[in-house]
Amino acid sequence: MPVPEKPALEGLEDSLAARWERDGTYRFDRTKSRQQIYSIDTPPPTVSGSLHVGHVFSYTHTDFIARFQRMRGKEVFYPMGWDDNGLPTERRVQNFFGVRCDPSLPYVPNLTPPDKPDKPISVSRPNFIELCTKLTIEDEKAFEQLWRYLGLSVDWSMTYATIGRDAQLVSQKMFLRLLAKKLAYQVEAPTLWDVDFKTAVAQAELEDREQPGAYHKIHFYREPGAGNREPIAIETTRPELIPACVALVAHPDDERYKHLFDTHVITPLFGVRVPVRAHALADPEKGSGIAMICTFGDTTDVTWWRELKLPVRAIVQANGALGPVTWGQPGWESADPARAQAAYDQLAGLSSKKAQAKIVELLRESGDLQGEPKPITHNVKFYEKGDRPLEIVTSRQWFIKTIDYRDEFIKRGQEISWHPPYMQARFDNWVNGLNGDWCISRQRFFGVPFPVWYPILANGTIDYANVIVPPEERLPLDPSTDVPDGYSADQRGKPGGFVGDPDIMDTWATSSISPQLVSGWERDPDLFKRTFPLDLRPQAHDIIRTWLFSSVVRAHFENESVPWTNAAISGWVLDPDRKKMSKSKGNVVTPLALLKEHGSDGVRYWAARGGPGVDTAFDPGQMKIGRKLAMKVLNVSKFVLAGDQPEGKVTEALDRGMLQNLAVVVDEATAELENYEYAKALAKIESFFWDFCDNYVEAAKSRRYGDFGPEAAASASTAMRLALSVLLRLLAPYLAFATEEVWSWTNSGSIHRARWPARDELISVSGTDASAARAVQHVTEALNAIRKGKTDQKVSVGTPVKEVVYRAAEDAIACLKLVERDLKAASRSETLILRAGEPGVEVTLKPPSAEATGGKPAEG
RNA sequence: GGGCGGUUAGCUCAGUUGGUAGAGCACCGGCUUUACACGCCGGCUGUCAGGGGUUCGAGUCCCUUACCGCCCACCA
């Protein structure tokens, strides 16, 4: 392809993306050995949302590394996944199709949801999943287009979906392996619970939100005959949980309450006899210093309940409302059951919030509320996607063991190279701060089901202790539709029959197996051998505690290995208020519009300036600069490559010095990129590139035009072409489009499969004499001084002048003698005098000629 | 309360093992210069967050304070 007359960036994204696809430029060659392969565990973006500028930022970082490794000669394994699993998709499907999932229904083949049903229709879980797939497939196409336009060098023949068949297979198989090793277990226990989604949630999915609340001072009483009848004042923010109170607790050293320890007190309204206990977690400074333990108000209650071995009196149901209670029954003993019942009946069926208002009335009437509630704001735990505070509900859930293995996880963390290194501390902090095993079951529908069933005993109760496990060959399966071996379908739900586990796996339980999923674990042993453990996990820092941690757990238990050897943690994109861009309102920029406006190379350049782990400001100004850089690449390339330039030996000092300096840049940039410091590498490359354009090319230009004969010209053009070739390759990971465009003018293959530059290809041409390298630096200084001399006299730097006298240190002058011809030509002076001495420059203009004076009127 | 990161020119950020403060943008001025006006040249701009210490010498090392961001713990 010839050098174009007017090179342009417009349209390169579409035309080159199409060419890369046609030529299979990024196609993974799976015949290469593990040594030759560089494998990436790409994060699958959530397709139910939309891609934002933060995604563009971090995915581009991965692409820099992928392109660098590919040019270094590695065969890059770079798949892309779609996270179409989980609650966001489920909610969208419900609204879009007007359906609800009912796992008890059988699968209906070829189900089409009606247009606009009046009320949601119920469908089976497999049908629901089909609809999810149908909806997300469109999103995935749009995402792929954006990634192609941005220039991600992904092998698009290797995509996966987190709800896909393989993802289910791997998730279920790895779960059964954990079960067999007793690393997964189920237990009925208090669990953090979202009352709207009606599902358990994990520690990692919590967030705190500031909420208004109030301290209520309420009265408990000592048992008759156990001392004075003065009420004991307890401060609580959740008076509605008084009926669930199982004890009071104070600090063991608290003198105010020591006399009450191991005595009993009576709860207000309900007359329940509860013990007073001592526990170090009770804070004497807080409230009245003595607290109510309820089953369960918060996680501290759970701790106390467990450690003090207290009974359960649970009142909050799965839907968040207070459930029915018959007072006087075992577990609900009361000194006055009729009174307790009368009070409780006014609370039953109400949500926590409404029950609280009601019980305040009741307490006021009975005189057990001291003063008025004192409003406060406090942090309350929420499910990160939820709308109401979490409750703690006792339910049967699946767990993966983690707390007993914390030390092993920390050791795995040490086997991973973290980029930047300090991110490892976040991992260590999280692991050391774990306070319970990992709850992986969710009471939702759109996700990977637990592939197990339970027998139903003759009396109709479910025998959870004897889990029915399928052979691995049957996976993936859905226990709500599939039937366990040895049973028939009509035995489902019947005494003597079976029932499927109704739950699905937590989103992190399924996404944590992405290393095994992409590498073909247990499905493609050949691929697995060549890619696992992977070389790189790129991801953002906010999900170290979730995705990164859970992936380490799974690989540790299944593969006895780390899942990958490098973790590259990218920062966030911040808006001008220093808030995370994707979270604050009204600042989300459509990525495609951004790419169209500034060009993909412009946006890639901006992304490249945010180093690993560094939160970076959204800055269109940087994108403009990137676009200018890309444009400059096109233009200087046009100059260097256009026309028939003579080839020959590189003999001139200026040329050899420039190539030597470039060799240093190659070494430095390579070292930075090997260390995942793509931003630092770019800064060095870019700085050299501009110096090359503004100083070297300017100084060598006259000679290359042939002003000093063909051999001198050949030296210049040969050196320039070599330098350009190296610079293009150094810039290729960043400016994927502009560099490919230029490369195509003189090469047939893709620059992205070209060899990464090495110092040898430069040094073998330039030699290594230090004076030549220094001469280039001195030429730049001299040129700058001479240009300043001209600018001071208000003439263009291209103006021919009569005489230039340049003075500098003796060794600088000695170097400049080597390149005197070039300097004289670039300064456009009839006479150039180089002199050792105090640094300085004198530029003598030509006397104004008759035509010049006549043609240009003097300033007024 | 614990941990991690940050605070350098109006803005965005570099500053490797301590050795006279840098780049780009913005701003101002000059320049049709045969690759490029998406260009070229020049100029202006700093108590390196505050305080203390080590040192001949600190943006850089140590201590400390403040502020910003994130993570965790606590939230009766």
Side-chain angles (χ1 to χ4, degrees), chain A residues 564-575:
Chain A
W564 0 257
T565 48
N566 293 276
I569 309 298
S570 64
W572 282 341
V573 177
L574 305 177
D575 70 10

Side-chain angles (χ1 to χ4, degrees), chain A residues 757-773:
Chain A
R759 74 176 277 114
D760 261 10
E761 47 181 310
L762 295 160
I763 293 305
S764 62
V765 171
S766 68
T768 53
D769 51 321
S771 57

Side-chain angles (χ1 to χ4, degrees), chain A residues 116-232:
Chain A
K116 308 251 180 272
D118 290 336
K119 60 173 189 178
I121 64 159
S122 293
V123 301
S124 75
R125 184 157 65 192
N127 283 117
F128 192 85
I129 289 174
E130 269 181 11
L131 293 174
C132 291
T133 309
K134 199 167 157 186
L135 188 62
T136 54
I137 213 145
E138 291 304 313
D139 295 330
E140 289 163 12
K141 277 188 200 149
F143 276 37
E144 180 177 330
Q145 270 206 305
L146 182 72
W147 285 152
R148 284 179 185 267
Y149 196 88
L150 175 62
L152 297 188
S153 59
V154 161
D155 181 346
W156 289 106
S157 70
M158 299 187 302
T159 59
Y160 68 91
T162 54
I163 194 62
R165 187 184 181 278
D166 278 355
Q168 302 220 20
L169 171 64
V170 174
S171 296
Q172 292 188 336
K173 200 167 186 177
M174 285 179 66
F175 168 74
L176 291 185
R177 298 277 175 93
L178 288 172
L179 185 59
K181 289 182 203 161
K182 300 204 183 339
L183 291 166
Y185 64 94
Q186 62 172 335
V187 67
E188 184 150 8
T191 314
L192 289 158
W193 184 271
D194 186 287
V195 296
D196 291 313
F197 288 113
K198 298 185 187 61
T199 181
V201 303
Q203 186 188 352
E205 296 173 294
L206 307 183
E207 67 181 30
D208 286 348
R209 293 188 205 159
E210 287 243 312
Q211 293 288 307
Y215 279 123
H216 303 74
K217 202 171 249 186
I218 56 174
H219 291 160
F220 280 61
Y221 298 92
R222 304 202 63 180
E223 284 190 286
N228 66 51
R229 290 289 293 156
E230 281 300 299
I232 301 154

Side-chain angles (χ1 to χ4, degrees), chain A residues 606-757:
Chain A
W606 159 73
R609 297 182 42 105
V614 181
D615 290 346
T616 300
F618 176 73
D619 188 354
Q622 295 297 332
M623 300 174 195
K624 291 201 176 81
I625 297 162
R627 190 176 172 83
K628 285 182 180 181
L629 174 64
M631 202 62 217
K632 190 80 174 177
V633 166
L634 294 188
N635 280 316
V636 78
S637 300
K638 178 188 156 194
F639 172 77
V640 170
L641 299 173
D644 283 328
Q645 302 300 334
E647 289 281 329
K649 273 193 79 108
V650 175
T651 51
E652 296 286 320
L654 186 74
D655 304 333
R656 291 189 293 107
M658 180 275 294
L659 294 175
Q660 288 171 21
N661 290 341
L662 180 53
V664 174
V665 172
V666 167
D667 282 346
E668 290 175 348
T670 305
E672 295 289 13
L673 277 161
E674 276 180 335
N675 199 29
Y676 296 80
E677 292 283 2
Y678 48 83
K680 287 180 181 168
L682 175 60
K684 290 185 161 124
I685 297 162
E686 192 188 2
S687 155
F688 183 94
F689 174 75
W690 285 104
D691 182 56
F692 171 81
C693 292
D694 296 340
N695 296 308
Y696 168 76
V697 170
E698 290 302 323
K701 193 184 261 182
S702 168
R703 180 156 52 78
R704 200 205 69 171
Y705 278 131
D707 293 353
F708 308 119
E711 282 179 18
S715 174
S717 76
T718 304
M720 250 176 229
R721 282 168 171 255
L722 176 56
L724 181 70
S725 163
V726 167
L727 281 166
L728 286 173
R729 282 176 281 152
L730 291 175
L731 287 168
Y734 306 99
L735 307 178
F737 294 98
T739 55
E740 181 76 321
E741 166 67 6
V742 170
W743 194 255
S744 73
W745 298 342
T746 52
N747 295 275
S748 53
S750 168
I751 192 171
H752 300 298
R753 284 282 180 177
R755 196 175 71 254
W756 184 253

